[in-house]
Amino acid sequence: MDSTAESEGSKTSLFVSNALNGGAVKGKKPIKNSTVLRIDLESGEGQPPKVLSEQVIADGIPWVDSEEALVLGPTGLALASNGTLYVASTQNNKILAISEATSRTTPAKGGGRCSPKVVI
């Protein structure tokens, strides 16, 4: 659905939100199985990126199919300087905050906490 990245030297962390993971019934009921994935990459000049690791950093985010928008789910990713990844959850009109997104080793349930104030 969406992505953002942070690079430092030859290392890049790519964050990707995923929806359409199956289970929808023509927009009747939200399905809480969307995820956010961190893919750590290494690259060098003239070399294709190499995947170092993959980690689901959030799960249980709701989505629903939509005739108007194809899908309403996790989109609009932004990484703050403190390592918190913000995700716009369009299905329920919330901004989710996934703390320690660059180093997290377990998924934040439900996509993390709802953020009342976002400073990026």
Side-chain angles (χ1 to χ4, degrees):
M1 294 289 307
D2 205 354
S3 65
T4 192
E6 174 187 58
S7 294
E8 187 174 322
S10 63
K11 308 279 178 157
T12 298
S13 291
L14 175 64
F15 300 90
V16 181
S17 63
N18 301 293
L20 298 172
N21 292 332
V25 182
K26 296 188 180 183
K28 301 290 182 195
K29 174 178 142 184
I31 306 299
K32 295 180 179 180
N33 67 355
S34 294
T35 61
V36 177
L37 178 69
R38 182 186 67 237
I39 305 169
D40 293 319
L41 305 166
E42 183 175 46
S43 59
E45 193 171 324
Q47 301 292 320
K50 176 183 174 185
V51 175
L52 300 175
S53 65
E54 297 179 21
Q55 177 67 51
V56 174
I57 61 168
D59 61 12
I61 305 167
W63 72 276
V64 66
D65 60 344
S66 164
E67 287 184 23
E68 297 82 16
L70 176 63
V71 66
L72 297 175
T75 64
L77 279 61
L79 185 64
S81 59
N82 68 358
T84 299
L85 183 70
Y86 293 97
V87 180
S89 180
T90 58
Q91 190 281 322
N92 55 10
N93 296 317
K94 294 182 179 180
I95 301 293
L96 305 174
I98 304 167
S99 63
E100 302 173 337
T102 57
S103 60
R104 176 176 284 282
T105 59
T106 58
K109 300 297 178 194
R113 62 181 168 78
C114 290
S115 180
K117 181 178 178 185
V118 178
V119 179
I120 301 203

XYZ file of all heavy atoms in Angstrom:
861
model
N 0.808 -1.189 0.000
C 0.000 0.000 0.000
C 0.851 1.252 0.000
O 0.541 2.193 -0.681
C -0.906 0.017 1.216
C -1.962 -1.056 1.261
S -3.288 -0.856 0.087
C -3.831 0.781 0.406
N 1.906 1.291 0.826
C 2.735 2.478 0.867
C 4.095 2.100 1.440
O 4.271 1.014 1.986
C 2.084 3.561 1.727
C 2.539 4.964 1.328
O 3.435 5.090 0.466
O 1.997 5.933 1.867
N 5.053 3.031 1.317
C 6.383 2.757 1.849
C 7.116 4.061 2.156
O 6.756 5.130 1.676
C 7.201 1.932 0.844
O 7.443 2.689 -0.327
N 8.160 3.921 2.968
C 9.111 4.995 3.223
C 10.430 4.320 3.570
O 10.463 3.109 3.832
C 8.645 5.950 4.358
O 9.478 7.112 4.355
C 8.670 5.270 5.717
N 11.511 5.075 3.542
C 12.825 4.481 3.791
C 13.727 5.464 4.521
O 13.529 6.679 4.475
C 13.472 4.063 2.478
N 14.729 4.890 5.192
C 15.773 5.667 5.852
C 17.101 5.033 5.472
O 17.266 3.815 5.593
C 15.579 5.618 7.363
C 16.713 6.288 8.120
C 16.605 6.099 9.618
O 16.581 4.944 10.073
O 16.534 7.115 10.316
N 18.036 5.848 5.000
C 19.349 5.341 4.598
C 20.451 5.992 5.407
O 20.375 7.169 5.748
C 19.600 5.615 3.116
O 18.712 4.892 2.319
N 21.470 5.189 5.693
C 22.683 5.674 6.330
C 23.849 4.897 5.728
O 23.975 3.691 5.955
C 22.630 5.478 7.841
C 23.794 6.126 8.552
C 23.666 6.069 10.068
O 22.560 6.212 10.582
O 24.706 5.859 10.706
N 24.631 5.581 4.938
C 25.727 4.918 4.250
C 25.193 3.871 3.288
O 24.310 4.147 2.485
N 25.705 2.660 3.385
C 25.279 1.581 2.485
C 24.058 0.823 2.994
O 23.568 -0.089 2.334
C 26.432 0.590 2.284
O 26.769 -0.032 3.513
N 23.554 1.183 4.180
C 22.405 0.490 4.780
C 21.129 1.307 4.601
O 21.131 2.527 4.763
C 22.628 0.261 6.272
C 23.927 -0.412 6.623
C 23.875 -1.876 6.449
C 25.247 -2.426 6.785
N 25.377 -3.712 7.153
N 20.056 0.613 4.267
C 18.738 1.235 4.119
C 17.711 0.386 4.830
O 17.730 -0.842 4.716
C 18.344 1.363 2.634
O 19.292 2.204 1.975
C 16.955 1.936 2.455
N 16.823 1.035 5.574
C 15.653 0.362 6.147
C 14.445 0.824 5.353
O 14.145 2.015 5.305
C 15.479 0.708 7.624
O 16.513 0.143 8.386
N 13.778 -0.111 4.718
C 12.582 0.148 3.919
C 11.383 -0.321 4.723
O 11.363 -1.457 5.208
C 12.669 -0.615 2.593
C 11.471 -0.568 1.663
C 11.229 0.850 1.169
C 11.686 -1.518 0.488
N 10.391 0.550 4.886
C 9.175 0.228 5.626
C 8.030 0.142 4.631
O 7.828 1.068 3.837
C 8.885 1.297 6.679
C 9.996 1.445 7.678
C 11.032 2.333 7.466
C 10.002 0.669 8.826
C 12.064 2.451 8.375
C 11.025 0.775 9.744
C 12.073 1.672 9.519
N 7.272 -0.963 4.668
C 6.199 -1.206 3.700
C 4.937 -1.623 4.446
O 4.975 -2.525 5.284
C 6.597 -2.333 2.714
C 5.501 -2.580 1.704
C 7.911 -2.021 2.028
N 3.819 -0.949 4.134
C 2.534 -1.374 4.702
C 1.851 -2.312 3.718
O 1.967 -2.149 2.508
C 1.635 -0.167 5.003
O 1.314 0.534 3.824
N 1.167 -3.313 4.251
C 0.509 -4.332 3.444
C -0.958 -4.458 3.828
O -1.287 -4.536 5.002
C 1.151 -5.714 3.682
C 2.609 -5.732 3.359
O 2.985 -5.595 2.219
N 3.436 -5.874 4.381
N -1.813 -4.490 2.837
C -3.231 -4.783 3.049
C -3.611 -5.840 2.013
O -2.738 -6.432 1.391
C -4.085 -3.536 2.911
N -4.881 -6.064 1.818
C -5.358 -7.079 0.866
C -4.803 -8.452 1.198
O -4.428 -9.224 0.326
C -5.002 -6.697 -0.579
C -5.616 -5.394 -1.091
C -5.042 -5.036 -2.449
C -7.122 -5.491 -1.156
N -4.741 -8.775 2.500
C -4.203 -10.053 2.943
C -5.250 -11.159 3.011
O -5.068 -12.156 3.670
C -3.536 -9.889 4.315
C -2.295 -9.037 4.241
O -1.636 -8.975 3.219
N -1.981 -8.360 5.321
N -6.365 -10.966 2.335
C -7.394 -11.995 2.291
C -8.427 -11.847 3.388
O -8.184 -11.246 4.417
N -9.614 -12.370 3.133
C -10.657 -12.414 4.131
C -11.762 -11.394 3.989
O -12.757 -11.463 4.700
N -11.617 -10.408 3.099
C -12.657 -9.373 2.969
C -13.907 -9.932 2.303
O -13.838 -10.807 1.459
C -12.129 -8.199 2.154
N -15.049 -9.390 2.681
C -16.331 -9.778 2.095
C -16.992 -8.520 1.548
O -17.829 -7.906 2.182
C -17.246 -10.467 3.139
C -18.550 -10.904 2.495
C -16.552 -11.646 3.779
N -16.555 -8.083 0.385
C -17.119 -6.942 -0.327
C -17.420 -5.750 0.562
O -18.504 -5.197 0.552
C -18.357 -7.363 -1.104
C -18.043 -8.362 -2.188
C -19.227 -8.624 -3.055
C -18.838 -9.646 -4.113
N -19.878 -9.914 -5.044
N -16.458 -5.340 1.368
C -16.577 -4.139 2.171
C -17.532 -4.229 3.346
O -17.824 -3.232 3.986
N -18.016 -5.402 3.652
C -19.000 -5.557 4.721
C -18.383 -5.461 6.113
O -19.007 -4.989 7.036
C -19.729 -6.900 4.598
C -20.455 -7.081 3.293
C -21.634 -6.167 3.215
C -22.368 -6.414 1.909
N -23.302 -5.401 1.568
N -17.173 -5.921 6.272
C -16.593 -6.023 7.606
C -15.079 -5.819 7.519
O -14.419 -6.441 6.696
C -16.912 -7.410 8.142
C -16.294 -7.779 9.443
C -16.765 -9.165 9.848
C -15.643 -9.918 10.485
N -15.968 -11.258 10.825
N -14.510 -4.957 8.376
C -13.054 -4.798 8.368
C -12.349 -6.084 8.794
O -12.826 -6.808 9.663
C -12.797 -3.698 9.401
C -14.106 -2.998 9.551
C -15.163 -4.032 9.284
N -11.226 -6.336 8.181
C -10.381 -7.484 8.506
C -9.125 -6.930 9.176
O -8.482 -6.027 8.645
C -9.993 -8.271 7.236
C -11.217 -8.671 6.426
C -9.128 -9.470 7.575
C -12.184 -9.560 7.150
N -8.758 -7.450 10.318
C -7.616 -6.919 11.067
C -6.377 -7.776 10.846
O -5.866 -8.403 11.772
C -7.955 -6.831 12.549
C -9.051 -5.836 12.851
C -9.352 -5.768 14.322
C -10.437 -4.760 14.590
N -10.767 -4.656 16.009
N -5.899 -7.805 9.582
C -4.710 -8.598 9.315
C -3.670 -7.873 8.456
O -2.788 -8.495 7.893
C -5.077 -9.957 8.709
C -5.662 -9.845 7.319
O -5.906 -8.756 6.797
N -5.913 -10.986 6.695
N -3.752 -6.543 8.363
C -2.716 -5.794 7.656
C -1.454 -5.737 8.504
O -1.514 -5.821 9.731
C -3.190 -4.375 7.358
O -4.256 -4.384 6.451
N -0.317 -5.547 7.847
C 0.965 -5.514 8.533
C 1.814 -4.351 8.042
O 1.547 -3.760 7.000
C 1.752 -6.821 8.294
O 1.990 -6.967 6.887
C 1.010 -8.026 8.819
N 2.867 -4.063 8.805
C 3.932 -3.170 8.371
C 5.225 -3.968 8.504
O 5.483 -4.589 9.537
C 3.999 -1.873 9.201
C 5.187 -1.014 8.753
C 2.696 -1.089 9.084
N 6.012 -3.960 7.441
C 7.234 -4.752 7.358
C 8.438 -3.824 7.245
O 8.383 -2.820 6.531
C 7.156 -5.650 6.118
C 8.323 -6.548 5.783
C 8.457 -7.663 6.810
C 8.135 -7.151 4.397
N 9.516 -4.139 7.971
C 10.798 -3.450 7.795
C 11.721 -4.394 7.045
O 11.920 -5.537 7.457
C 11.424 -3.081 9.140
C 12.744 -2.300 8.969
C 13.457 -2.042 10.297
N 13.930 -3.289 10.877
C 13.598 -3.736 12.094
N 12.780 -3.066 12.864
N 14.082 -4.885 12.535
N 12.272 -3.920 5.946
C 13.236 -4.690 5.167
C 14.562 -3.952 5.244
O 14.668 -2.806 4.787
C 12.788 -4.839 3.703
C 11.383 -5.449 3.631
C 13.796 -5.682 2.920
C 10.752 -5.396 2.254
N 15.568 -4.578 5.847
C 16.895 -3.969 5.950
C 17.723 -4.409 4.746
O 17.835 -5.600 4.454
C 17.572 -4.368 7.256
C 16.860 -3.775 8.464
O 16.446 -2.594 8.383
O 16.716 -4.475 9.477
N 18.280 -3.413 4.058
C 19.020 -3.643 2.820
C 20.434 -3.099 2.934
O 20.696 -2.170 3.695
C 18.322 -2.927 1.653
C 16.857 -3.239 1.415
C 16.241 -2.213 0.483
C 16.719 -4.636 0.849
N 21.316 -3.669 2.128
C 22.667 -3.146 1.975
C 22.913 -2.981 0.489
O 22.533 -3.846 -0.314
C 23.692 -4.102 2.582
C 25.110 -3.578 2.515
C 26.083 -4.490 3.237
O 26.015 -5.712 3.032
O 26.907 -3.969 3.994
N 23.530 -1.872 0.121
C 23.794 -1.641 -1.297
C 25.170 -1.011 -1.463
O 25.708 -0.397 -0.550
C 22.719 -0.735 -1.906
O 22.681 0.499 -1.228
N 25.703 -1.199 -2.633
C 26.990 -0.610 -2.977
C 26.927 -0.105 -4.405
O 26.058 -0.510 -5.190
N 27.837 0.784 -4.741
C 27.848 1.362 -6.077
C 27.969 0.266 -7.138
O 28.847 -0.601 -7.063
C 29.013 2.339 -6.207
C 28.908 3.186 -7.439
C 29.950 4.287 -7.450
O 30.248 4.831 -6.378
O 30.446 4.571 -8.546
N 27.053 0.276 -8.080
C 27.061 -0.702 -9.166
C 26.566 -2.084 -8.767
O 26.658 -3.017 -9.551
N 26.042 -2.224 -7.544
C 25.572 -3.513 -7.051
C 24.075 -3.429 -6.743
O 23.605 -2.415 -6.249
C 26.310 -3.902 -5.768
C 27.798 -4.016 -5.917
C 28.179 -5.196 -6.789
O 27.590 -6.255 -6.705
N 29.168 -5.001 -7.640
N 23.341 -4.497 -7.005
C 21.923 -4.490 -6.609
C 21.810 -4.573 -5.089
O 22.695 -5.121 -4.424
C 21.354 -5.752 -7.272
C 22.530 -6.641 -7.478
C 23.720 -5.734 -7.673
N 20.749 -4.029 -4.515
C 20.571 -4.129 -3.059
C 20.483 -5.581 -2.609
O 19.938 -6.431 -3.303
C 19.243 -3.409 -2.809
C 18.995 -2.592 -4.013
C 19.668 -3.289 -5.150
N 21.030 -5.854 -1.438
C 20.977 -7.182 -0.831
C 20.096 -7.107 0.414
O 20.284 -6.227 1.253
C 22.393 -7.618 -0.442
C 22.457 -8.940 0.276
C 23.883 -9.251 0.689
C 23.937 -10.491 1.541
N 25.284 -10.756 2.046
N 19.148 -8.012 0.523
C 18.271 -8.060 1.694
C 19.046 -8.680 2.856
O 19.509 -9.815 2.764
C 16.980 -8.864 1.408
C 16.138 -8.999 2.669
C 16.178 -8.218 0.283
N 19.163 -7.914 3.935
C 19.846 -8.404 5.132
C 18.877 -9.072 6.098
O 19.213 -10.063 6.731
C 20.556 -7.250 5.842
C 21.623 -6.525 5.041
C 22.160 -5.337 5.834
C 22.747 -7.475 4.659
N 17.673 -8.480 6.217
C 16.672 -9.048 7.117
C 15.300 -8.482 6.800
O 15.187 -7.438 6.149
C 17.020 -8.763 8.583
O 16.967 -7.367 8.838
N 14.276 -9.191 7.257
C 12.894 -8.752 7.144
C 12.236 -8.962 8.506
O 12.449 -9.995 9.131
C 12.130 -9.574 6.095
C 12.665 -9.428 4.692
C 11.905 -10.286 3.690
O 10.763 -10.679 3.963
O 12.473 -10.576 2.631
N 11.458 -7.973 8.950
C 10.806 -8.058 10.252
C 9.432 -7.413 10.182
O 9.326 -6.260 9.767
C 11.656 -7.349 11.314
C 11.048 -7.310 12.692
C 10.948 -8.685 13.328
O 11.921 -9.420 13.370
N 9.774 -9.023 13.807
N 8.392 -8.152 10.582
C 7.074 -7.551 10.740
C 7.141 -6.704 12.005
O 7.432 -7.220 13.083
C 5.965 -8.622 10.848
C 4.629 -7.970 11.159
C 5.885 -9.437 9.568
N 6.889 -5.386 11.871
C 6.982 -4.503 13.035
C 5.612 -4.068 13.555
O 5.521 -3.444 14.603
C 7.873 -3.281 12.753
C 7.321 -2.429 11.618
C 9.307 -3.727 12.486
C 7.994 -1.080 11.489
N 4.548 -4.390 12.813
C 3.184 -4.119 13.280
C 2.240 -5.076 12.578
O 2.448 -5.435 11.415
C 2.773 -2.676 12.999
N 1.212 -5.513 13.297
C 0.210 -6.378 12.684
C -1.154 -6.089 13.298
O -1.280 -5.286 14.221
C 0.580 -7.854 12.804
C 0.700 -8.353 14.236
O 0.293 -7.648 15.177
O 1.195 -9.472 14.422
N -2.173 -6.721 12.744
C -3.523 -6.545 13.261
C -4.158 -5.212 12.899
O -5.094 -4.769 13.553
N -3.661 -4.562 11.851
C -4.214 -3.274 11.426
C -5.434 -3.553 10.540
O -5.367 -4.350 9.609
C -3.166 -2.458 10.650
C -1.898 -2.288 11.494
C -3.737 -1.105 10.231
C -0.712 -1.767 10.720
N -6.562 -2.888 10.791
C -7.769 -3.169 10.009
C -7.707 -2.619 8.590
O -7.076 -1.596 8.329
C -8.877 -2.477 10.807
C -8.195 -1.409 11.568
C -6.807 -1.909 11.846
N -8.380 -3.330 7.678
C -8.567 -2.868 6.305
C -9.899 -3.393 5.812
O -10.452 -4.351 6.357
C -7.432 -3.321 5.394
C -7.432 -4.785 5.068
C -6.888 -5.785 5.837
C -7.999 -5.421 3.926
N -7.088 -7.005 5.237
C -7.773 -6.810 4.051
C -8.680 -4.970 2.812
C -8.193 -7.731 3.101
C -9.093 -5.894 1.865
C -8.845 -7.254 2.019
N -10.417 -2.763 4.784
C -11.653 -3.206 4.158
C -11.568 -2.825 2.684
O -10.966 -1.809 2.330
C -12.896 -2.587 4.849
C -12.954 -1.094 4.668
C -14.176 -3.244 4.397
N -12.121 -3.662 1.800
C -12.113 -3.282 0.393
C -13.137 -2.174 0.170
O -14.084 -2.012 0.931
C -12.340 -4.480 -0.531
C -13.659 -5.184 -0.311
O -14.293 -4.965 0.727
O -14.058 -5.960 -1.191
N -12.888 -1.373 -0.850
C -13.713 -0.196 -1.100
C -13.879 -0.009 -2.602
O -12.896 -0.040 -3.339
C -13.037 1.037 -0.498
O -13.574 2.225 -1.011
N -15.110 0.189 -3.056
C -15.338 0.431 -4.476
C -14.683 1.734 -4.913
O -14.175 1.837 -6.023
C -16.833 0.479 -4.770
C -17.496 -0.874 -4.708
C -18.957 -0.814 -5.100
O -19.358 0.121 -5.817
O -19.699 -1.716 -4.674
N -14.679 2.740 -4.043
C -14.142 4.051 -4.388
C -12.616 4.098 -4.355
O -11.992 4.753 -5.164
C -14.681 5.129 -3.443
C -16.185 5.321 -3.504
C -16.960 4.300 -2.674
O -16.356 3.627 -1.800
O -18.159 4.145 -2.919
N -12.012 3.444 -3.388
C -10.575 3.566 -3.182
C -9.816 2.248 -3.318
O -8.650 2.193 -2.958
C -10.311 4.155 -1.807
N -10.444 1.189 -3.774
C -9.906 -0.168 -3.859
C -9.787 -0.787 -2.473
O -10.329 -1.828 -2.205
C -8.565 -0.227 -4.591
C -7.895 -1.595 -4.638
C -8.734 -2.598 -5.397
C -6.510 -1.526 -5.204
N -9.063 -0.087 -1.573
C -8.909 -0.599 -0.211
C -8.738 0.580 0.755
O -8.136 1.588 0.410
C -7.713 -1.574 -0.115
C -6.399 -0.870 -0.356
C -7.683 -2.290 1.214
N -9.298 0.434 1.937
C -9.055 1.373 3.030
C -8.256 0.614 4.075
O -8.729 -0.382 4.618
C -10.371 1.884 3.621
C -11.264 2.678 2.679
C -12.592 3.004 3.359
C -10.570 3.944 2.210
N -7.039 1.047 4.323
C -6.160 0.343 5.241
C -4.963 1.199 5.581
O -5.030 2.426 5.485
N -3.839 0.571 5.949
C -2.662 1.337 6.353
C -1.951 1.954 5.150
O -1.564 1.259 4.215
C -1.789 0.297 7.045
C -2.181 -0.999 6.423
C -3.638 -0.860 6.103
N -1.817 3.276 5.164
C -1.108 4.002 4.103
C -0.341 5.152 4.740
O -0.341 5.308 5.950
C -2.083 4.575 3.048
O -2.917 5.533 3.687
C -2.923 3.504 2.408
N 0.257 5.987 3.940
C 0.888 7.200 4.422
C 1.892 6.988 5.527
O 1.662 7.386 6.654
N 3.018 6.366 5.235
C 4.053 6.111 6.227
C 5.021 7.282 6.321
O 5.400 7.861 5.306
C 4.841 4.853 5.864
C 4.226 3.510 6.229
C 2.916 3.282 5.552
C 5.188 2.397 5.921
N 5.426 7.616 7.554
C 6.424 8.662 7.792
C 7.254 8.271 9.002
O 6.713 7.883 10.034
C 5.756 10.011 8.032
N 8.571 8.375 8.870
C 9.481 8.002 9.949
C 10.013 9.265 10.623
O 10.597 10.131 9.970
C 10.645 7.171 9.401
C 11.620 6.601 10.412
C 10.921 5.601 11.332
C 12.798 5.940 9.712
N 9.808 9.374 11.935
C 10.297 10.515 12.712
C 11.756 10.290 13.098
O 12.247 9.158 13.110
C 9.438 10.702 13.951
N 12.417 11.364 13.460
C 13.834 11.280 13.819
C 14.083 10.448 15.084
O 15.188 9.946 15.283
C 14.415 12.684 13.997
O 13.720 13.379 15.011
N 13.054 10.257 15.919
C 13.216 9.443 17.131
C 12.981 7.949 16.877
O 12.970 7.160 17.807
C 12.292 9.938 18.247
C 10.818 9.702 17.958
O 10.444 9.200 16.899
N 9.972 10.080 18.900
N 12.763 7.541 15.611
C 12.578 6.127 15.273
C 11.144 5.658 15.308
O 10.878 4.475 15.097
N 10.195 6.556 15.564
C 8.782 6.191 15.542
C 8.266 6.270 14.115
O 8.495 7.262 13.423
C 7.950 7.131 16.440
O 8.423 7.019 17.792
C 6.469 6.779 16.401
N 7.600 5.209 13.675
C 6.989 5.187 12.352
C 5.512 5.501 12.504
O 4.814 4.860 13.285
C 7.156 3.813 11.690
C 6.609 3.702 10.268
C 7.463 4.501 9.290
C 6.536 2.244 9.835
N 5.043 6.516 11.786
C 3.634 6.889 11.809
C 2.955 6.314 10.578
O 3.511 6.363 9.472
C 3.479 8.406 11.848
C 3.972 8.987 13.151
C 5.251 9.521 13.262
C 3.163 8.972 14.284
C 5.705 10.037 14.465
C 3.618 9.480 15.487
C 4.885 10.008 15.569
O 5.331 10.505 16.763
N 1.776 5.742 10.784
C 1.014 5.108 9.710
C -0.405 5.664 9.728
O -1.069 5.632 10.768
C 0.961 3.571 9.903
C 0.175 2.908 8.782
C 2.361 2.981 9.996
N -0.871 6.146 8.584
C -2.257 6.594 8.476
C -3.131 5.374 8.246
O -2.968 4.665 7.257
C -2.408 7.581 7.322
N -4.020 5.114 9.171
C -4.953 3.996 9.044
C -6.260 4.548 8.474
O -7.111 5.048 9.206
C -5.187 3.337 10.408
O -6.089 2.263 10.281
N -6.411 4.469 7.151
C -7.561 5.093 6.494
C -8.872 4.369 6.770
O -9.931 4.961 6.633
C -7.350 5.182 4.973
O -7.123 3.875 4.438
C -6.176 6.075 4.641
N -8.826 3.129 7.191
C -10.066 2.397 7.471
C -10.778 2.971 8.681
O -11.982 3.041 8.724
C -9.784 0.904 7.660
C -11.017 0.027 7.711
C -11.726 0.046 9.056
O -11.102 0.085 10.104
N -13.041 0.035 9.013
N -10.016 3.405 9.696
C -10.641 3.923 10.911
C -10.219 5.362 11.241
O -10.411 5.821 12.357
C -10.386 2.992 12.097
C -8.918 2.717 12.323
O -8.047 3.345 11.720
N -8.621 1.776 13.191
N -9.631 6.057 10.258
C -9.259 7.471 10.412
C -8.388 7.737 11.634
O -8.657 8.638 12.422
C -10.502 8.360 10.448
C -11.264 8.305 9.152
O -10.670 8.332 8.075
N -12.571 8.219 9.241
N -7.327 6.956 11.797
C -6.407 7.133 12.919
C -4.974 7.217 12.408
O -4.653 6.689 11.349
C -6.515 5.959 13.896
C -7.849 5.880 14.597
C -7.881 4.732 15.574
C -9.231 4.699 16.273
N -9.315 3.602 17.220
N -4.144 7.877 13.196
C -2.704 7.856 12.959
C -2.115 6.908 13.993
O -2.284 7.111 15.211
C -2.058 9.254 13.109
C -2.679 10.243 12.134
C -0.544 9.160 12.935
C -2.397 9.962 10.683
N -1.443 5.866 13.526
C -0.824 4.883 14.408
C 0.651 5.223 14.576
O 1.282 5.702 13.638
C -0.969 3.487 13.821
C -2.394 3.053 13.489
C -2.389 1.712 12.779
C -3.241 3.003 14.749
N 1.190 5.000 15.753
C 2.595 5.260 16.038
C 3.261 3.957 16.448
O 2.870 3.336 17.439
C 2.727 6.301 17.148
N 4.240 3.544 15.671
C 4.989 2.314 15.953
C 6.344 2.734 16.515
O 7.211 3.225 15.775
C 5.169 1.464 14.685
C 3.808 1.157 14.061
C 5.936 0.193 14.990
C 3.889 0.598 12.654
N 6.521 2.593 17.818
C 7.770 3.010 18.459
C 8.913 2.077 18.083
O 8.701 0.911 17.771
C 7.600 3.063 19.975
O 7.309 1.776 20.475
N 10.116 2.615 18.105
C 11.343 1.845 17.841
C 11.268 1.069 16.531
O 11.739 -0.073 16.435
C 11.650 0.922 19.008
C 11.821 1.661 20.322
C 11.951 0.737 21.510
O 11.508 -0.421 21.457
O 12.504 1.196 22.522
N 10.696 1.672 15.509
C 10.485 0.981 14.226
C 11.790 0.527 13.572
O 11.814 -0.494 12.896
C 9.715 1.882 13.262
N 12.867 1.247 13.796
C 14.137 0.886 13.157
C 14.845 -0.279 13.837
O 15.725 -0.892 13.243
C 15.087 2.094 13.114
O 15.294 2.575 14.445
C 14.516 3.212 12.249
N 14.441 -0.609 15.078
C 15.103 -1.696 15.803
C 14.150 -2.735 16.375
O 14.582 -3.734 16.947
C 15.942 -1.115 16.949
O 15.113 -0.395 17.848
N 12.850 -2.539 16.227
C 11.825 -3.426 16.799
C 12.005 -4.858 16.292
O 12.245 -5.085 15.115
C 10.454 -2.894 16.416
C 9.289 -3.744 16.859
C 7.979 -3.082 16.511
N 7.667 -1.995 17.416
C 7.186 -2.177 18.628
N 6.956 -3.381 19.090
N 6.933 -1.148 19.399
N 11.870 -5.827 17.211
C 11.983 -7.242 16.838
C 10.679 -8.011 17.017
O 10.614 -9.191 16.694
C 13.092 -7.941 17.659
O 12.786 -7.819 19.044
C 14.450 -7.324 17.361
N 9.649 -7.347 17.552
C 8.333 -7.966 17.690
C 7.287 -7.011 17.117
O 7.455 -5.788 17.179
C 7.993 -8.269 19.160
O 8.041 -7.055 19.903
C 8.957 -9.287 19.745
N 6.191 -7.538 16.590
C 5.163 -6.671 16.011
C 4.391 -5.886 17.071
O 4.059 -6.417 18.125
C 4.216 -7.633 15.296
C 4.902 -8.949 15.249
C 5.914 -8.955 16.339
N 4.112 -4.630 16.765
C 3.208 -3.826 17.596
C 1.793 -4.256 17.239
O 1.376 -4.165 16.087
C 3.413 -2.341 17.317
N 1.072 -4.758 18.201
C -0.289 -5.252 17.964
C -1.226 -4.110 17.593
O -1.141 -3.023 18.149
C -0.827 -5.979 19.192
C 0.001 -7.182 19.585
C -0.015 -8.218 18.506
C 0.853 -9.407 18.854
N 1.114 -10.260 17.727
N -2.096 -4.354 16.639
C -3.057 -3.348 16.206
C -2.418 -2.160 15.520
O -3.027 -1.119 15.370
N -1.152 -2.313 15.118
C -0.454 -1.244 14.428
C 0.209 -0.241 15.338
O 0.695 0.782 14.893
N 0.245 -0.506 16.627
C 0.855 0.439 17.558
C -0.195 1.305 18.222
O -1.391 1.110 18.050
N 0.260 2.278 18.958
C -0.676 3.154 19.681
C -1.200 4.242 18.759
O -0.551 4.601 17.790
C -0.001 3.757 20.902
C 1.187 4.629 20.562
C 1.848 5.199 21.821
N 3.134 5.796 21.490
C 3.292 6.979 20.935
N 2.268 7.714 20.627
N 4.500 7.437 20.665
N -2.377 4.745 19.073
C -2.920 5.893 18.339
C -2.202 7.127 18.825
O -1.984 7.300 20.014
C -4.421 6.037 18.583
S -5.351 4.723 17.807
N -1.805 7.962 17.904
C -1.037 9.146 18.250
C -1.914 10.383 18.249
O -2.429 10.763 17.202
C 0.115 9.313 17.267
O 0.854 10.450 17.592
N -2.093 11.039 19.404
C -2.918 12.237 19.440
C -2.208 13.440 18.825
O -2.830 14.344 18.327
C -3.153 12.462 20.935
C -1.987 11.812 21.598
C -1.600 10.647 20.711
N -0.877 13.457 18.871
C -0.116 14.579 18.333
C 1.055 14.012 17.552
O 1.829 13.206 18.065
C 0.392 15.454 19.469
C 1.180 16.648 18.992
C 1.620 17.499 20.166
C 2.436 18.663 19.668
N 2.982 19.447 20.774
N 1.186 14.419 16.303
C 2.252 13.907 15.448
C 3.224 15.026 15.150
O 2.846 16.062 14.628
C 1.669 13.335 14.133
C 2.779 12.853 13.247
C 0.681 12.225 14.441
N 4.503 14.826 15.502
C 5.567 15.772 15.174
C 6.640 15.008 14.437
O 7.253 14.112 14.990
C 6.162 16.412 16.450
C 7.278 17.357 16.076
C 5.081 17.114 17.237
N 6.814 15.334 13.160
C 7.780 14.600 12.338
C 8.932 15.512 11.969
O 8.789 16.651 11.742
C 7.101 14.041 11.092
C 6.002 13.145 11.523
C 8.090 13.385 10.179
C 5.519 12.111 10.627
